[in-house]
Amino acid sequence: MTQATLLLVEDDANLADGLLASLEQAGYRCLYADSATKVAELWRDADLVILDRQLPEGDSIDWLPDWNKLKTVPVILLTAMVSVRDRVGGLDSGATDYITKPFAEAELLARIRVHLRNPVGEVDASSDEIVVNDVRIDTASRAVMCGEQEVVLTRTEFDLLHFLAKNAGRVFTRDELLDQVWGYNHYPTTRTVDTHILQLRQKLPSVNIETLRGVGYRMKA
């Protein structure tokens, strides 16, 4: 099996040293940058990026859309920001996942394994288009149209929307959605599912994603 290459972007030297040691012990080849200015030259060589939000030059999500244009790879944000607005902003910028500080290294390693095993963006293309109310989901092109206007979704938002729409009417728990869309269901979620549901409701208000208190979510057909 080819050794995966991880890019760690973290300006806290003590945290970085510990993480690099753990990642290398887990069998990964590691690249390291402690500032935004060093990221672009390393990005193309990475299979996955672990990205701290607060860098010396500012918030890393300001550069994330440009870095993603260099190469599309899973990006796990490390952040001390815990508000819904902060998490939504990070995911909207193009991150695949996020984990809040302080965190358990075992959880980070688990998420890395999942994203390397199941890259975000791979969905079943057996059905070319799904229509929900005035929203059309084109599986082949990964485009979402609301009426005549295209709605831009992140990779994970599209995968979640596609899964719920394909199974409209069925109720899923958060753990089931984590397992089906993200690929993991036994680790702390930092409310990943809730945040993505909120984003879909904001971007596609005509799509009715119901909350069943104490149970989970379903999309009404």
Side-chain angles (χ1 to χ4, degrees):
M1 182 181 294
T2 303
Q3 185 182 41
T5 298
L6 310 184
L7 171 58
L8 173 64
V9 185
E10 170 62 63
D11 67 329
D12 183 329
N14 291 329
L15 176 58
D17 286 344
L19 281 178
L20 288 170
S22 296
L23 294 172
E24 289 171 353
Q25 186 176 13
Y28 299 111
R29 175 176 176 263
C30 295
L31 305 173
Y32 174 61
D34 60 2
S35 66
T37 56
K38 299 178 182 178
V39 173
E41 61 190 74
L42 299 173
W43 192 275
R44 291 188 179 89
D45 296 324
D47 299 307
L48 180 145
V49 177
I50 303 165
L51 180 63
D52 183 25
R53 272 199 69 163
Q54 294 303 316
L55 297 176
E57 301 92 336
D59 193 336
S60 64
I61 68 171
D62 292 337
W63 296 282
L64 186 51
D66 291 329
W67 291 334
N68 269 327
K69 291 177 184 177
L70 300 174
K71 180 184 178 182
T72 301
V73 295
V75 177
I76 301 176
L77 282 179
L78 300 182
T79 177
M81 302 176 179
V82 296
S83 73
V84 171
R85 180 177 180 180
D86 288 326
R87 298 199 303 270
V88 168
L91 294 167
D92 272 343
S93 70
T96 311
D97 200 355
Y98 63 86
I99 186 169
T100 55
K101 298 178 180 179
F103 58 89
E105 289 186 1
E107 179 186 357
L108 176 60
L109 289 170
R111 295 192 184 204
I112 290 171
R113 290 194 297 270
V114 166
H115 290 304
L116 290 175
R117 184 173 67 243
N118 302 314
V120 175
E122 295 184 358
V123 299
D124 180 8
S126 58
S127 177
D128 288 338
E129 186 174 88
I130 301 174
V131 179
V132 180
N133 296 334
D134 62 343
V135 173
R136 301 194 314 277
I137 306 165
D138 190 313
T139 303
S141 66
R142 297 181 63 83
V144 176
M145 302 294 296
C146 184
E148 299 302 316
Q149 182 176 0
E150 182 172 3
V151 179
V152 178
L153 301 181
T154 67
R155 291 171 294 172
T156 314
E157 288 169 358
F158 181 91
D159 290 345
L160 178 58
L161 175 68
H162 178 269
F163 180 76
L164 289 172
K166 186 173 63 174
N167 297 280
R170 179 179 167 186
V171 180
F172 293 94
T173 67
R174 290 175 177 83
D175 282 346
E176 287 173 331
L177 291 173
L178 282 168
D179 186 39
Q180 294 295 323
V181 179
W182 282 263
Y184 56 79
N185 66 352
H186 297 301
Y187 296 90
T189 68
T190 56
R191 303 191 70 80
T192 297
V193 173
D194 296 344
T195 300
H196 280 79
I197 293 291
L198 174 62
Q199 290 172 254
L200 289 177
R201 286 170 171 165
Q202 292 174 338
K203 293 183 177 183
L204 297 166
S206 64
V207 173
N208 188 355
I209 302 176
E210 287 187 314
T211 301
L212 281 80
R213 190 174 299 277
V215 182
Y217 295 102
R218 73 177 169 196
M219 181 180 291
K220 295 194 70 174

